Amino acid sequence: MRLARKRSRARGLTLIEVLVSMAILSMIAVLIYADFDSLGHAKKVETIRGDRARQARSGMLRISRELSGAFLSMHNPANLALQVRMTAFVGQNSSPFDRLDFASFSHKRVEANAHESDQAEIGYFASPDPDVEGKMDLVRREQTPMDMDPKKGGAVNVLVEDIENFDIRYLDPTTNQWTETWDTLQPTGQFNRMPLEVRITLTLKNAPSGLDPVYTTKVMMPMQQPLSFGIPR
């Protein structure tokens, strides 16, 4: 009788018990995997959201900083045949993507002892991504030294990817009205006049959930009049 009781206590698990245990362990493993997968997805989404927001903010800050250095200059040689550069501030309206080209004290030398000034032609406009159909990027153009065509030339680099809208408005100090275009080169435009303020609106396309796709900023233009040091008026 005692031997039978010892054998009963020492018997192993039945097949059903093993299967039930394996099922429970499998469910626990699935739940743990789902939690880790959810955390990984959330982290990926947050990384994308942060990268997009950071890119848009840094792009707008750069535009604001370089617009603050925009200028016009009346320093030209007496013999116009010797003129090698031209300053301008030209804003073109082309909804949904406007364009702005201007002269600015924004160039940064990256090589020691480089024979370069801080003056450069800067341009901002939308350009299609050659690798992704239907994708438009906000790009920045910089030409240094400046030349006679203030709207062409230089190196072009992507500033903000995948945008839906790039809108620029200009506050005319003579009328106190916002206008969609500005051209300091045309006598019928705003010849040799800078806007008092520039308003920029950038809208991201395919912005991640939870991210505001619209970024807006205003920039006061410090240098209203063309530079004319030493030039009698």
Side-chain angles (χ1 to χ4, degrees), residues 23 41 63 116 130 133-134 138 156 170 184 190 201:
H41 178 72
I63 296 173
E116 301 173 351
E133 185 178 357
L138 177 62
V156 177
Y170 312 91
T184 61
Q190 295 81 15
T201 302

Side-chain angles (χ1 to χ4, degrees), residues 133-151:
E133 185 178 357
K135 179 171 176 278
M136 298 293 290
D137 299 329
L138 177 62
V139 300
R140 175 185 180 273
R141 177 187 69 89
E142 180 177 349
Q143 164 73 31
T144 184
M146 300 169 60
D147 56 21
M148 292 297 293
D149 192 339
K151 297 188 290 183

Side-chain angles (χ1 to χ4, degrees), residues 92-105:
Q92 298 171 286
N93 178 44
S94 181
S95 182
F97 305 111
D98 293 346
R99 174 169 182 150
L100 176 60
D101 296 274
F102 57 98
S104 177
F105 293 112

Side-chain angles (χ1 to χ4, degrees), residues 62 65-66 105-111 114 116-120 140 142 144:
R62 184 162 194 173
R65 184 175 65 251
E66 293 182 339
F105 293 112
S106 302
H107 178 65
K108 293 183 178 180
R109 293 187 299 176
V110 295
E111 297 181 4
E116 301 173 351
S117 72
D118 57 355
Q119 302 175 28
R140 175 185 180 273
E142 180 177 349
T144 184

Side-chain angles (χ1 to χ4, degrees), residues 3-228:
L3 182 60
R5 289 179 180 175
K6 290 181 179 179
R7 287 179 179 177
S8 178
R9 294 194 192 102
R11 69 182 180 86
L13 296 174
T14 64
L15 180 59
I16 294 178
E17 291 173 331
V18 172
L19 292 176
V20 171
S21 300
M22 292 180 63
I24 294 173
L25 289 175
S26 298
M27 292 177 62
I28 294 173
V30 169
L31 292 174
I32 293 174
Y33 174 79
D35 287 341
F36 277 107
D37 184 64
S38 177
L39 288 173
H41 178 72
K43 182 180 179 181
K44 183 178 180 180
V45 170
E46 187 61 33
T47 299
I48 295 174
R49 184 187 296 118
D51 289 343
R52 292 279 277 158
R54 190 180 306 108
Q55 189 181 59
R57 286 196 300 267
S58 63
M60 295 292 276
L61 285 172
R62 184 162 194 173
I63 296 173
S64 300
R65 184 175 65 251
E66 293 182 339
L67 271 175
S68 298
F71 73 98
L72 299 174
S73 176
M74 297 182 65
H75 294 88
N76 297 314
N79 184 357
L80 295 181
L82 301 177
Q83 186 175 356
V84 295
R85 70 167 197 168
M86 179 183 297
T87 60
F89 190 96
V90 181
Q92 298 171 286
N93 178 44
S94 181
S95 182
F97 305 111
D98 293 346
R99 174 169 182 150
L100 176 60
D101 296 274
F102 57 98
S104 177
F105 293 112
S106 302
H107 178 65
K108 293 183 178 180
R109 293 187 299 176
V110 295
E111 297 181 4
N113 302 319
H115 297 287
E116 301 173 351
S117 72
D118 57 355
Q119 302 175 28
E121 294 171 9
I122 305 294
Y124 291 105
F125 55 93
S127 178
D129 189 327
D131 299 323
V132 182
E133 185 178 357
K135 179 171 176 278
M136 298 293 290
D137 299 329
L138 177 62
V139 300
R140 175 185 180 273
R141 177 187 69 89
E142 180 177 349
Q143 164 73 31
T144 184
M146 300 169 60
D147 56 21
M148 292 297 293
D149 192 339
K151 297 188 290 183
K152 293 182 180 179
V156 177
N157 296 290
V158 174
L159 189 67
V160 182
E161 293 186 274
D162 201 10
I163 65 172
E164 184 175 341
N165 179 269
F166 183 57
D167 181 74
I168 309 176
R169 303 294 175 93
Y170 312 91
L171 183 60
D172 193 328
T174 62
T175 63
N176 202 32
Q177 297 292 322
W178 289 95
T179 179
E180 295 182 339
T181 62
W182 199 274
D183 195 340
T184 61
L185 298 177
Q186 299 296 325
T188 57
Q190 295 81 15
F191 188 68
N192 275 348
R193 291 196 301 114
M194 296 288 279
L196 179 64
E197 191 174 354
V198 178
R199 183 176 66 201
I200 307 155
T201 302
L202 174 68
T203 305
L204 301 179
K205 188 177 181 180
N206 300 320
S209 176
L211 175 64
D212 187 353
V214 181
Y215 293 79
T216 302
T217 188
K218 290 183 180 180
V219 183
M220 297 294 296
M221 307 301 292
M223 289 175 276
Q224 291 288 299
Q225 300 299 321
L227 303 179
S228 56

